[in-house]
Structures are given as C-alpha cells and as structure tokens.
Amino acid sequence: MDDQGLLLPPSSPGYGTNRKLLPIVLILLITACSGCTDVKRWLYEGFGRDEWQHPGEVILALHLKAGDAVADLGSGSGYFTFRLADAVGPAGKVYAVDIDPDMTEYVARRARELKYHNIEVITAKPDDPLLPKSGVDVIFSCITYHHLEDRTSYLFRLTQYLSPHGRLAIVDFNGEGWFTRLIGHWTPREVILQELQQAGYSLQQELTFLPNQVFLVFSH
Ligand SMILES: C[S@@+](CC[C@H](N)C(=O)[O-])C[C@H]1O[C@@H](n2cnc3c(N)ncnc32)[C@H](O)[C@@H]1O
C-alpha cells in the first residue's frame, strides 16, 4: 500500500515536545516496514485509540439492527469490522472492504480465529468496492475518505451498492489536529458535504462527539 493512513490521536493539550518527534519516527518506521501487517495494524489500532475514537458511541449512533448488512469501507485491520459484526449479530453480515490484501487477509484470519461467521472480506479495486449487487443497509467508512480518488465518480458508484433505504456514514479527520494536518490525512467537512451533494446524497445526520473528526450520515 503506497498511501498509508495513520490513526494517531488528534491534537490534544497534553502533547509535549517529545511527541512532536513521533511523526518522524513513524514515517521512518513505515518506510522501513512497508508491507508489514503488524506495523499497519499497530498504526491503525494503537495510540489509545478508544479514548478519542469512542467506538461504542459510533456503533450506537449508526442505529444498526440485528440482521443488517454493512460494509466497512477501508476496513484496515478491522478496528470497526468486529464491532459492526457484533452489532448486526449472527443473522447480519459485515463486508470488510479494503484495497490492501495484507489487511483483508489479516481480518479474514482473525475472523476465522474468533469464529465471526458474519464477516466476509473483499479485496477491492481502488475505484470499486466490489460489494454484492444485492446492496447493503449501511456503508460505513472511517478515516478512509481522504484516500479515495476521483471521489465524485466513486460516490456515484457506491449508490449501486446501497439498498433503497441504505445510508452512507463517513468519519474522517477534519484537519483540526496538528498531526493530521502535518501528514495531510484529513478532509474538510465542507468538502465532504459538497462532494456528497454532487453525487446526489442528502445529509441525514451529523454527529459531533468525535474530537477533530467529522461524522456525517447520508442517504441517497
Ligand atoms: C487509515 S486506514 C483506516 C482503517 C479502518 N477504517 C480504521 O478505522 O481503523 C485506511 C484504510 O483505507 C484503505 N483504502 C484506501 N483506499 C481505499 C479504497 N479505494 N477502497 C477501499 N479501501 C481503501 C487503506 O488500505 C487502509 O486500510
């Protein structure tokens, strides 16, 4: 994967000078270890992520029902995949979609080990998530939006994978933390709103409890 996403905590008052060296260390580490599943997994899941990602509240905010079909678009190491799978239950389905085969293989292995029979991985194409045409109830995408290329066409394409009442939920850094600004892994709220509107989506809900992140839910 040549465009790595780093799930580091957004800017917080407790950050000291030493912390400012962290990006350099990490960039060196990634460069040295590109292709290393463990490093990617650590970057996606580490750094006290639960404290700023509030995964339980995110899942609750999605109002999933038992039996729902959900896509975790840009699932990475499955930080949300397994939580989504718990929320939809054994009758539901979670498609863990990622372009990085290291990550889809890792999630598939972990799902087998933990006996999550409701998780299916999809190694996607950069311009197509390759979801089943039957459609899903929710496409959830966390800290992946900024990776998507030619987003207007991509978002159009996504609509064919949504069921008639399907929703698209996007979480991304909003650029307010120094670190995300430094590495450029973020998307301004207004850009997301504009692009989704261009692709024919309507904003259904905006959640504001995630620090330095946007959390927007759209219907089509
Ligand atoms: C920063 S990680 C986030 C992982 C996960 N969503 C999380 O919250 O831990 C971004 C992920 O998006 C994936 N990605 C990038 N472009 C993608 C695309 N066009 N389709 C699917 N996944 C993509 C990357 O391979 C990476 O695993």
Side-chain angles (χ1 to χ4, degrees):
M1 186 172 69
D2 55 6
D3 185 17
Q4 300 282 0
L6 309 181
L7 293 191
L8 295 168
S11 163
S12 65
Y15 269 56
T17 313
N18 288 344
R19 288 274 187 152
K20 293 191 177 167
L21 293 173
L22 196 58
I24 298 157
V25 174
L26 288 174
I27 287 160
L28 290 173
L29 195 62
I30 293 162
T31 311
C33 299
S34 74
C36 175
T37 303
D38 286 342
V39 171
K40 289 181 210 172
R41 188 164 62 80
W42 176 65
L43 290 169
Y44 295 158
E45 296 182 19
F47 300 98
R49 185 171 177 190
D50 290 359
E51 285 166 32
W52 54 268
Q53 190 65 84
H54 303 292
E57 284 175 67
V58 170
I59 296 292
L60 282 178
L62 294 173
H63 301 294
L64 296 170
K65 298 187 303 295
D68 275 352
V70 181
D72 184 5
L73 179 63
S75 45
S77 55
Y79 180 83
F80 274 109
T81 307
F82 292 86
R83 291 172 166 96
L84 292 166
D86 288 334
V88 299
K93 186 88 166 176
V94 177
Y95 297 96
V97 180
D98 207 291
I99 54 169
D100 182 351
D102 286 346
M103 290 294 96
T104 49
E105 279 162 26
Y106 171 76
V107 170
R109 191 171 65 245
R110 203 163 147 216
R112 271 195 308 276
E113 284 165 5
L114 298 174
K115 302 201 186 325
Y116 274 78
H117 302 296
N118 59 351
I119 292 176
E120 183 176 324
V121 303
I122 298 176
T123 305
K125 297 202 285 194
D127 63 349
D128 192 333
L130 304 175
L131 283 159
K133 290 278 169 20
S134 49
V136 294
D137 300 294
V138 174
I139 297 177
F140 171 76
S141 189
C142 184
I143 314 184
T144 296
Y145 191 84
H146 58 264
H147 289 281
L148 302 175
E149 291 165 13
D150 192 5
R151 285 198 290 255
T152 307
S153 353
Y154 191 88
L155 293 166
F156 270 123
R157 177 159 292 135
L158 275 190
T159 62
Q160 70 180 300
Y161 297 118
L162 277 175
S163 68
H165 301 290
R167 292 169 291 144
L168 169 60
I170 296 171
V171 175
D172 204 359
F173 288 127
N174 63 10
E176 282 171 19
W178 65 266
F179 189 86
T180 47
R181 271 190 176 276
L182 180 72
I183 59 172
H185 283 265
W186 58 288
T187 320
R189 172 184 177 276
E190 289 66 32
V191 169
I192 300 178
L193 287 173
Q194 190 188 4
E195 291 174 346
L196 270 288
Q197 193 184 18
Q198 277 166 4
Y201 293 77
S202 314
L203 181 65
Q204 202 181 68
Q205 201 182 3
E206 175 162 14
L207 298 124
T208 55
F209 62 85
L210 290 177
N212 298 342
Q213 295 164 80
V214 278
F215 185 178
L216 302 168
V217 183
F218 297 88
S219 56
H220 194 269

